[in-house]
Amino acid sequence: QHPGWPAHLGPVRVGAGAVTLRPVRLRDAAAWSRIRMRDHDHLEPWEPTGRGPWEARNHASNWPPLWSSLKAEARRGAMIPLVIEVDGAFGGQLTVGNIVRGALRSAWIGYWVTRDLGGRGVATAALALGLDHCFGPVGLHRVEATVRPENLASQAVLRNVGFREEGLLRRYLDVDGAWRDHLLVAVTAEELSGRVVDRLAREGRLTLR
Ligand code: ACO
């Protein structure tokens, strides 16, 4: 096994409920598909373009091969694919990817949260738990993220946990059917004094346990 995998993180409590993170499971198929069908409009503008219609790509039968490739990446230490749970129910996903060790010790992080949970601190709490895990047990030095300039909610989440802007990547990623500019944001270990969740607790954004 690799440092930091498998991971069970939290709980921390926010307005929406108790937020925990745990590894993706084969039996997530039904919840994953049902939510992604329902939240099509909420998710598609921000996600990499896929082949074929959304309904086909997010059918429950697509989860087992996706789950299997995520688990394979996790087993070789390149990825940490987690489900965000709120009060024990599937609430979204948080993924750490392209984990590179050696002199770089870096990765990217990305997430989505269901529309019905929106605006009640779930993404902020999940990202804080994910970052603390990356800089703690996983042993990374730098975590980066890319976000569309139009995605103001996600930029607020990234700011909440301490990411700062590094630049604009022009026509960086094929998202929602076209090459989209993305802001590159990052944080390195020495920029954070202590755990992010502890700072957010002091700021009254969440409570521990
Ligand atoms: N303009 C500006 N700020 C906004 C807007 C808006 N239209 N809507 C919400 N916000 C702010 C809120 O005020 C809040 O900021 P605050 O804490 O400083 O008040 C923040 O956005 C939302 O914080 P949370 O409640 O923690 O986030 P939430 O659980 O609602 O999840 C997320 C936000 C992840 C963006 C969710 O809406 C989502 O999944 N969207 C679709 C997929 C997506 O965009 N994923 C992120 C891609 S980028 C990446 O992965 C690095």
Side-chain angles (χ1 to χ4, degrees):
Q1 291 291 5
H2 292 274
W5 179 258
H8 292 265
L9 313 179
V12 295
R13 184 163 287 279
V14 296
V19 177
T20 50
L21 303 179
R22 49 97 178 149
V24 290
R25 292 179 189 142
L26 184 54
R27 63 181 181 279
D28 290 323
W32 172 83
S33 177
R34 180 175 42 77
I35 290 165
R36 291 183 58 86
M37 296 290 188
R38 190 190 65 197
D39 284 1
H40 179 164
D41 297 349
H42 171 62
L43 298 171
E44 195 168 37
W46 318 116
E47 294 203 354
T49 306
R51 273 197 289 166
W54 181 269
E55 287 67 27
R57 281 189 279 132
N58 290 283
H59 190 270
S61 63
N62 283 357
W63 179 256
L66 176 57
W67 166 81
S68 160
S69 69
L70 292 172
K71 293 282 277 195
E73 287 296 295
R75 268 195 302 274
R76 71 175 191 90
M79 197 173 246
I80 301 176
L82 302 173
V83 165
I84 303 169
E85 287 189 340
V86 178
D87 289 338
F90 193 109
Q93 287 178 264
L94 180 129
T95 309
V96 181
N98 196 27
I99 298 172
V100 180
R101 297 198 178 267
L104 198 54
R105 298 204 282 287
S106 178
W108 56 252
I109 198 161
Y111 44 81
W112 64 271
V113 168
T114 65
R115 194 201 317 252
D116 61 345
L117 291 168
R120 286 181 289 159
V122 173
T124 298
L127 188 56
L129 288 167
L131 264 191
D132 288 339
H133 187 61
C134 286
F135 291 123
V138 185
L140 297 182
H141 171 250
R142 179 175 185 275
V143 177
E144 66 176 37
T146 56
V147 59
R148 291 184 62 183
E150 299 84 355
N151 196 344
L152 299 178
S154 184
Q155 286 172 61
V157 171
L158 290 160
R159 254 194 321 273
N160 285 344
V161 301
F163 279 91
R164 66 185 152 65
E165 209 172 298
E166 294 198 330
L168 180 67
L169 306 172
R170 295 192 188 274
R171 296 174 293 285
Y172 174 65
L173 201 60
D174 184 2
V175 165
D176 196 20
W179 294 106
R180 309 288 185 178
D181 292 353
H182 279 70
L183 294 165
L184 173 65
V185 300
V187 58
T188 61
E190 48 278 88
E191 290 171 81
L192 302 172
S193 47
R195 298 191 311 167
V196 180
V197 289
D198 292 330
R199 177 173 59 76
L200 294 181
R202 284 197 298 276
E203 291 173 1
R205 285 183 175 273
L206 54 79
T207 54
L208 302 170
R209 312 230 115 240

